[in-house]
Amino acid sequence: MPIEKLFIKIIRRIYSTYSLLLFGLAFFILLPFFLLLIAFKPLRKYLHYLHWIWSAIFLGLSFLPVKLRYKSGKLRKEPSVICANHFSILDIAVLGFLPLNFVFVGKSELGKIPLFGYMFRKLHITVNRSSLKDRYLALQKAMKAVDEGHSLVMFPEGGVLSEEAPNMARFKDGPFRVAIEKQIPVIPVTIPYNWLILPDDGTYLLYPQTSYVVVHEPIETTGMSMEDLPALKEQVYTIIDAELKKYNLHENRQSNFAENSAPGAARL
């Protein structure tokens, strides 16, 4: 390996380790406040402030700016189902900047992480997607969270499943079932660059650049029935997929990141 590439790899490893430590440090700073929200349920209306502070500490001190772009002005405060593409674990952090009081619906493995897992199980919703019973119970918990005034962040792909980012995996029915059942809007969200900033390759090697979050117009579900679910799912997929294609104009950018470090121009 040429000395220049070796040096760059070492610097990136140091930077990435620093960023990972920041993530943990921010969690421990906020842990007493998370415990307060767990102990006193009425305080959970402030959960989104903790999301924002955690994301601001982690991403701000990691020199990873996040820019939110709204297609239809600011978000309404009513409960909604936020559906975002999911190619990187960084997606969870950048969504912390959404100005909504929401809970995540995430894979059950997150609930097994020491301390963090306890917080996640108590304040968010975990689901074992290999278990039909667990998927059913998670949907019931999600609907209860909506009744309590929370929005939901649900990754309709069911996790980081795509092997060909930025091409998405097939969408699951769960987010759209909740939205139709509760007659609440679905908000498509496109996160175009996180698959390049933090690839899901197991190395946790960050490539610092601006992360964009594109918040599309809400799709109303009032009057829809379960017969409309396939069309709603297809509509959301098409919206997110079209935006991913606008931002990711260059081919083979992940394998040639050093030569193509700047994101493709966005067409808004």
Side-chain angles (χ1 to χ4, degrees):
M1 178 182 294
I3 189 65
E4 295 86 356
K5 289 188 176 181
L6 178 60
F7 177 74
I8 291 172
K9 186 173 183 180
I10 292 172
I11 293 299
R12 282 180 173 161
R13 173 53 60 202
I14 293 172
Y15 161 69
S16 300
T17 302
Y18 158 78
S19 175
L20 185 60
L21 290 173
L22 277 176
F23 180 85
L25 177 62
F27 171 71
F28 281 108
I29 290 173
L30 295 173
L31 182 57
F33 301 98
F34 283 123
L35 293 176
L36 275 175
L37 268 60
I38 292 170
F40 301 100
K41 198 169 184 178
L43 294 178
R44 295 184 188 181
K45 61 183 178 181
Y46 301 113
L47 180 59
H48 62 292
Y49 292 112
L50 295 185
H51 288 153
W52 189 93
I53 293 170
W54 192 353
S55 295
I57 293 173
F58 166 51
L59 296 171
L61 295 180
S62 295
F63 311 105
L64 289 170
V66 177
K67 292 188 177 181
L68 271 68
R69 292 180 170 174
Y70 296 92
K71 292 285 190 176
S72 62
K74 298 298 181 182
L75 293 176
R76 292 172 288 178
K77 300 301 182 182
E78 63 182 319
S80 305
V81 177
I82 296 106
C83 289
N85 61 282
H86 195 24
F87 301 138
S88 169
I89 59 172
L90 192 62
D91 299 335
I92 297 173
V94 300
L95 289 173
F97 286 115
L98 290 178
L100 290 173
N101 190 23
F102 63 82
V103 297
F104 284 103
V105 179
K107 59 184 181 180
S108 57
E109 287 81 359
L110 292 172
K112 299 175 183 178
I113 302 172
L115 285 181
F116 174 89
Y118 174 77
M119 178 278 295
F120 197 90
R121 291 195 311 271
K122 293 295 183 180
L123 296 177
H124 300 278
I125 299 168
T126 62
V127 54
N128 177 1
R129 292 186 174 92
S130 64
S131 167
L132 181 62
K133 178 181 178 181
D134 202 63
R135 294 203 306 268
Y136 172 79
L137 291 175
L139 282 176
Q140 297 307 306
K141 291 177 182 177
M143 292 181 189
K144 182 179 179 182
V146 170
D147 291 338
E148 293 172 348
H150 296 285
S151 291
L152 303 169
V153 170
M154 304 179 75
F155 297 110
E157 294 167 90
V160 183
L161 299 179
S162 174
E163 296 180 356
E164 298 180 346
N167 299 306
M168 291 185 290
R170 292 178 59 186
F171 280 6
K172 311 291 186 184
D173 289 349
F176 312 101
R177 185 174 297 278
V178 173
I180 292 173
E181 179 75 21
K182 290 300 178 182
Q183 298 285 280
I184 59 175
V186 175
I187 303 176
V189 172
T190 303
I191 309 173
Y193 295 145
N194 283 358
W195 69 283
L196 294 168
I197 298 171
L198 183 57
D200 184 50
D201 57 8
T203 64
Y204 196 86
L205 191 62
L206 277 163
Y207 300 89
Q209 60 175 286
T210 301
S211 176
Y212 289 89
V213 179
V214 182
V215 182
H216 300 275
E217 295 183 8
I219 300 171
E220 301 294 338
T221 62
T222 304
M224 287 188 182
S225 68
M226 290 303 163
E227 293 181 356
D228 300 302
L229 190 153
L232 175 62
K233 181 169 65 172
E234 180 65 24
Q235 182 181 5
V236 173
Y237 189 101
T238 300
I239 289 170
I240 298 174
D241 185 59
E243 199 72 15
L244 284 169
K245 287 181 169 61
K246 288 180 183 180
Y247 276 80
N248 292 280
L249 300 179
H250 304 294
E251 296 181 359
N252 300 320
R253 291 185 58 233
Q254 189 172 29
S255 59
N256 297 290
F257 199 92
E259 292 79 16
N260 300 290
S261 58
R267 300 173 184 169
L268 299 181

